[in-house]
Amino acid sequence: MRRKLRKKLAGFSPEFPADLDSWEMRGWREGLEDDLPVPALVLFLLNRVLGYRQLDPGDKGRWAVGCSVAGEPVAFRDRKFGFEILVAPGSTLEQKRILFPLKAALRVLEEELLVPEANEQIHDCRVAVINRFGEFSHRYQYFRTKADELFAQAEIRPSDRKGMEGLPSISAVTAEMNRAAVAEREAFFLSAAMVDAYYSLLEHRLILLRAFTGKPMAAGDFEKLLGANWEGKLVMVLDLNSKGREGKELLGELRRIKERIRNPFAHGGVENDRGSIYVQLGSFGAVPANFSRARNSIRFNFRPIVAEDHAAMCGVFDRLDAFLETDDLSLPHRFLDSSVDPAFDAGMLTEYTTAIKDGGEAVDEWIDRWSREWERHQNADY
């Protein structure tokens, strides 16, 4: 593979002037986020695989590596403020002379080494994911709050404008009904978006909690976790059927919301029980293919979601949230709330388990250590 890489990097060599200070070089960053979106791959290619010398990255620097391209010194440096390519003052090298060969070599590296290695690590659960619980939660809360506000506005209010014989004027009544109808329609849009956001939040939350519970994972379990639907992920973290009647009823309501609300709007109006399909009964006309079960259809009422539906769904979601944040999941959820990025390898799962076993204070201490390390990396304080 190294022979292929060197061929792709024709004109590149590991020589870099010992007396050249990289801080005296001229750099550029513009466009690099598209051409080289993962700077660490450049370091891995040039230093780890090809043996190019690392340089002093300087203050707020993560790493730097030097080389020569077409006989001219070139350096690559990743700092807190971004990734940059450096050339000597007065260099005539064009950006494409550096980028094109480098990108070609990275494609070879990824195909022949990194993809197989990534597949193996994923299968063995030696991976981590980014904790975006706050983002998913805020998205859900945004739609929920906006829907609450508009459903409240959709209530028809008495008019002070009087017509003949002291009764409210027809125009005032009509205007108020139109205003309320618009508010209810927009509230329906927001409530449907809320439902979709909640199930996305739920799946992300369950992936994080699966790690933070610390339960051991066998080879292939991480792939099964990602491949499972929301209910499959839920069983891996919380078995609602074991929570008695309340848990079983809650699971049934979650399934109903998913089938009646979320799926039709997420899949172009298609209803799994064929409610969106109409069949012809001769001269008697077209009827829905789910027949009497049409009463359960999202389209059975004039407005698919009204205030009562919205409030009921919010209640269901709140009940599930309570299950996911209390009892045995209380301390695992503390990792999640603290924005810890979970790892799924055996060593880290054992750390989560040990901290949880030692109690809330131990969990808080672990989170503090992790947060300090995260901040150090983000600020490049090495």
Side-chain angles (χ1 to χ4, degrees):
M1 183 184 69
R2 285 188 174 89
R3 180 181 297 178
K4 286 185 181 180
L5 293 174
R6 292 189 178 99
K7 185 176 181 181
K8 295 292 184 182
L9 292 171
F12 280 63
S13 65
E15 291 79 21
F16 188 85
D19 59 348
L20 179 59
D21 186 345
S22 62
W23 289 96
E24 298 175 357
M25 302 176 76
R26 172 173 57 88
W28 72 76
R29 299 175 185 171
E30 186 177 354
L32 292 183
E33 63 273 9
D34 292 326
D35 288 309
L36 300 171
V38 186
L41 295 180
V42 176
L43 176 65
F44 185 85
L45 168 66
L46 298 180
N47 176 251
R48 179 66 63 84
V49 179
L50 297 178
Y52 289 15
R53 182 167 60 92
Q54 282 196 256
L55 308 174
D56 179 8
D59 185 45
K60 298 297 181 181
R62 296 189 176 92
W63 56 264
V65 62
C67 65
S68 292
V69 178
E72 296 193 31
V74 174
F76 303 89
R77 182 167 61 195
D78 190 27
R79 305 177 64 214
K80 174 183 178 180
F81 308 106
F83 176 61
E84 55 190 354
I85 297 177
L86 307 171
V87 296
S91 172
T92 59
L93 278 175
E94 294 183 3
Q95 187 174 4
K96 64 182 181 181
R97 177 63 184 86
I98 301 171
L99 286 176
F100 286 6
L102 191 58
K103 289 165 65 177
L106 286 173
R107 283 194 293 269
V108 173
L109 180 70
E110 291 178 18
E111 292 172 3
E112 298 197 9
L113 178 64
L114 299 184
V115 169
E117 173 64 20
N119 291 340
E120 182 178 323
Q121 290 191 29
I122 292 170
H123 183 69
D124 293 341
C125 306
R126 292 181 287 123
V127 295
V129 299
I130 301 297
N131 181 344
R132 303 192 190 280
F133 177 71
E135 175 186 310
F136 280 89
S137 181
H138 290 153
R139 175 173 169 249
Y140 160 66
Q141 290 294 342
Y142 171 83
F143 289 125
R144 176 170 172 167
T145 300
K146 293 296 183 181
D148 287 344
E149 293 171 355
L150 280 173
F151 274 124
Q153 294 176 25
E155 296 181 6
I156 297 178
R157 300 186 291 265
S159 174
D160 293 331
R161 292 167 56 187
K162 304 298 182 181
M164 295 178 61
E165 300 180 3
L167 297 174
S169 70
I170 297 298
S171 62
V173 171
T174 302
E176 175 60 16
M177 291 178 66
N178 289 338
R179 184 205 60 77
V182 169
E184 186 179 53
R185 180 170 178 264
E186 293 179 357
F188 147 55
F189 293 158
L190 289 162
S191 186
M194 176 201 73
V195 172
D196 190 61
Y198 184 80
Y199 282 93
S200 293
L201 164 65
L202 176 60
E203 291 208 41
H204 183 69
R205 187 183 207 171
L206 294 171
I207 290 170
L208 303 180
L209 282 174
R210 177 59 185 88
F212 293 137
T213 57
K215 297 175 184 176
M217 298 186 76
D221 279 357
F222 182 75
E223 295 159 299
K224 292 176 183 176
L225 173 64
L226 292 192
N229 61 15
W230 70 274
E231 193 170 345
K233 290 181 176 71
L234 182 60
V235 170
M236 297 179 193
V237 174
L238 172 69
D239 183 8
L240 284 177
N241 284 316
S242 69
K243 299 295 182 179
R245 180 177 178 180
E246 181 185 3
K248 292 177 181 179
E249 289 180 351
L250 177 57
L251 182 59
E253 289 168 344
L254 287 164
R255 288 170 177 163
R256 180 176 176 275
I257 294 171
K258 187 73 160 54
E259 288 297 317
R260 182 178 180 272
I261 305 293
R262 192 270 173 185
N263 286 354
F265 289 113
H267 300 294
V270 176
E271 299 181 38
N272 290 343
D273 67 351
R274 306 192 302 182
S276 55
I277 303 171
Y278 281 74
V279 295
Q280 190 72 29
L281 294 184
S283 61
F284 295 94
V287 297
N290 62 350
F291 305 112
S292 296
R293 286 178 298 165
R295 68 174 67 90
N296 300 320
S297 172
I298 187 65
R299 298 295 176 183
F300 187 67
N301 296 316
F302 175 72
R303 192 74 73 201
I305 302 174
V306 295
E308 292 77 10
D309 299 322
H310 175 75
M313 292 188 297
C314 290
V316 171
F317 298 155
D318 289 344
R319 285 157 55 201
L320 179 59
D321 289 346
F323 272 118
L324 293 173
E325 296 170 359
T326 56
D327 299 331
D328 291 342
L329 293 176
S330 174
L331 291 180
H333 210 283
R334 194 175 296 183
F335 289 105
L336 188 155
D337 285 328
S338 301
S339 300
V340 174
D341 299 325
F344 292 78
D345 60 277
M348 291 305 300
L349 295 181
T350 299
E351 286 197 26
Y352 303 145
T353 303
T354 301
I356 290 169
K357 183 179 179 181
D358 291 342
E361 187 174 338
V363 170
D364 290 340
E365 290 175 356
W366 192 100
I367 291 171
D368 286 342
R369 289 196 303 272
W370 184 92
S371 298
R372 287 194 297 270
E373 183 65 20
W374 182 88
E375 289 174 1
R376 188 173 76 91
H377 177 69
Q378 292 299 310
N379 291 317
D381 291 329
Y382 301 117

